[in-house]
Amino acid sequence: MDINDLIKDLKNRKFKPVYLLHGEESYYIDKVSNFIEENVLNDAEKGFNQSIFYGKDSDIMSILNAAKRYPMMSEYQVILVKEAQELKWGKDGDDDKKLADPLLSYFENPLQSTILVFCFRNGKFDKRKKTYKAIEKTGIVFESATLNDNKVSAWIESFVHQKGYKIQPQASVLMAEYLGNDLSKVSNELEKLMLNVKAGQEINTDDVQNNIGISKEYNVFELQNAIARKDAFKANQIINYFAENPKNNPIFLLLGNLNSYFGKILKVHYATDRSPQGLARELGVSPYFVKDFENAARSHSKEKVFRIISYLRECDMKSKGVDASANTEQGELMKELLFKIIH
């Protein structure tokens, strides 16, 4: 089920007796469970009818016993099981019938006045399990998948728009490049940023740089621009800054961003639809940035881009200790990588 449809149903009080929220991206799991926790019952009803369990400190039978109770002076009772991946779920089959049977029995015929929510974070629930299939039939299974890196800037623009703000495309890309695809982290930074920007005001790169701690001159976005222009002096300034501030500029983040950047340049070379709209679709970027990638492709041939991608992989292996001396610092690896890219 789509997240928007799920939230819409909850707002319209169309509840299911069991929810399994699972996946690598915790943001949407938290969003759904927090909505249920805060909105299904009023404050007076919560005292008797809302229970929170934590997987590490709970067991299946205690949760099921609570789920089988009827609500007191309320239409529903809510039971939230947080960190449900820590639960001992039991195994399908004859080797663990004592655990598997009561669980399956409840999921196959759940109490309709109970809203039982399992928050299974940091991984996917095993879809082969009978418990998964039983929840699918009588409840809701929602998988919160990790957002692809090339979709983060669009997600930022949508999030900001829903809050009544606007953001410049370059500013959203800068945030995406710097913060990555951890949506909980991104949303927290956006909430803090919007506290310092007037409602309705367009958020620009200065706002992002001033409020999120990104250097105005020395960031991955500016590094990409310098590389595209083959501005060795500026590129080296930025890399030296990264080397001196490794905590805020880890090499894995640099490698991920550059790999994505040159991957897009390679797509420009092979694109069949060369129109701005066609390239924007192919690259997964705003049309605002298409010219930047076209210019970068003109200054970097296909052969050069292939070599650079090879350099990135080689640097990644060295950063993990493969074919590198034990005392090689990440700053030195960055400088070596930049030299190969520029020359």
Side-chain angles (χ1 to χ4, degrees):
M1 174 177 273
D2 177 79
I3 182 63
N4 294 321
D5 292 335
L6 177 52
I7 294 294
K8 182 180 178 181
D9 281 352
L10 292 173
K11 286 181 177 178
N12 291 329
R13 299 188 69 79
K14 295 179 180 178
F15 303 131
K16 292 289 187 177
V18 184
Y19 291 83
L20 172 60
L21 314 175
H22 71 125
E24 300 288 349
E25 177 52 70
S26 63
Y27 175 80
Y28 289 116
I29 294 174
D30 293 341
K31 183 174 182 178
V32 175
S33 64
N34 289 343
F35 185 92
I36 292 173
E37 182 176 353
E38 294 166 9
N39 295 283
V40 172
L41 304 176
N42 62 39
D43 290 340
E45 293 170 330
K46 287 178 183 178
F48 292 104
N49 300 292
Q50 186 155 286
S51 303
I52 298 177
F53 292 85
Y54 289 88
K56 189 175 182 179
D57 304 317
S58 307
D59 61 84
I60 288 294
M61 293 310 300
S62 296
I63 294 167
L64 290 181
N65 287 336
K68 292 175 184 178
R69 294 197 302 259
Y70 287 93
M72 294 180 62
M73 297 175 289
S74 174
E75 186 178 359
Y76 297 102
Q77 73 155 334
V78 173
I79 297 177
L80 294 160
V81 185
K82 300 187 176 185
E83 307 295 342
Q85 72 278 1
E86 301 286 347
L87 272 175
K88 293 182 179 178
W89 286 82
K91 301 176 182 178
D92 292 336
D94 295 333
D95 56 338
D96 206 357
K97 280 187 176 180
K98 289 182 180 179
L99 276 177
D101 287 353
L103 200 59
L104 280 173
S105 178
Y106 183 80
F107 290 159
E108 288 168 356
N109 188 28
L111 198 63
Q112 297 299 310
S113 58
T114 293
I115 299 171
L116 176 57
V117 184
F118 290 97
C119 303
F120 193 99
R121 297 158 58 95
N122 305 318
K124 297 179 183 180
F125 195 89
D126 189 345
K127 297 180 180 181
R128 298 168 298 180
K129 281 184 170 289
K130 294 177 183 178
T131 47
Y132 180 93
K133 295 172 183 176
I135 295 172
E136 266 193 321
K137 289 182 180 178
T138 58
I140 292 288
V141 175
F142 171 74
E143 181 180 339
S144 184
T146 302
L147 192 67
N148 291 336
D149 289 336
N150 62 1
K151 294 182 179 179
V152 176
S153 61
W155 186 92
I156 289 171
E157 291 175 14
S158 175
F159 183 94
V160 167
H161 179 73
Q162 290 173 12
K163 299 289 185 177
Y165 292 80
K166 295 180 181 179
I167 186 169
Q168 292 178 350
Q170 192 169 2
S172 66
V173 170
L174 179 59
M175 285 193 69
E177 295 281 0
Y178 184 76
L179 297 173
N181 65 350
D182 182 338
L183 299 186
S184 295
K185 179 181 179 181
V186 175
S187 63
N188 286 337
E189 293 295 339
L190 283 169
E191 294 286 1
K192 289 190 289 185
L193 172 59
M194 287 183 286
L195 289 175
N196 296 297
V197 178
K198 292 181 181 178
Q201 179 179 326
E202 186 175 50
I203 298 169
N204 57 37
T205 53
D206 284 342
D207 295 319
V208 172
Q209 291 164 343
N210 291 334
N211 291 283
I212 299 183
I214 304 173
S215 169
K216 289 186 177 182
E217 295 185 63
Y218 306 116
N219 58 66
V220 173
F221 197 76
E222 292 300 325
L223 176 63
Q224 291 173 359
N225 290 337
I227 290 172
R229 299 191 307 269
K230 293 193 173 180
D231 185 344
F233 179 75
K234 182 64 177 178
N236 274 291
Q237 277 188 318
I238 295 171
I239 282 294
N240 287 333
Y241 177 84
F242 287 177
E244 292 168 6
N245 299 274
K247 185 177 180 180
N248 294 326
N249 303 279
I251 193 168
F252 73 86
L253 185 61
L254 171 70
L255 293 173
N257 287 325
L258 289 180
N259 191 63
S260 174
Y261 177 67
F262 283 103
K264 288 182 173 67
I265 295 174
L266 198 59
K267 286 183 179 180
V268 173
H269 282 295
Y270 284 99
T272 53
D273 184 350
R274 311 288 299 188
S275 69
Q277 295 77 13
L279 284 174
R281 284 194 299 271
E282 179 68 26
L283 303 181
V285 300
S286 164
Y288 178 90
F289 294 103
V290 167
K291 283 189 177 180
D292 292 338
F293 284 103
E294 286 181 312
N295 291 335
R298 278 192 284 270
S299 62
H300 293 79
S301 67
K302 284 186 288 187
E303 293 73 21
K304 178 64 174 177
V305 175
F306 276 121
R307 288 200 299 274
I308 290 172
I309 291 173
S310 176
Y311 298 150
L312 291 170
R313 290 174 180 168
E314 178 186 341
C315 185
D316 179 53
M317 295 300 290
K318 285 184 177 180
S319 72
K320 295 171 180 173
V322 179
D323 294 329
S325 58
N327 58 353
T328 302
E329 296 183 357
Q330 73 169 33
E332 294 304 313
L333 292 176
M334 289 182 183
K335 293 173 185 178
E336 178 187 357
L337 173 64
L338 179 63
F339 180 84
K340 291 179 178 179
I341 290 174
I342 292 290
H343 296 87

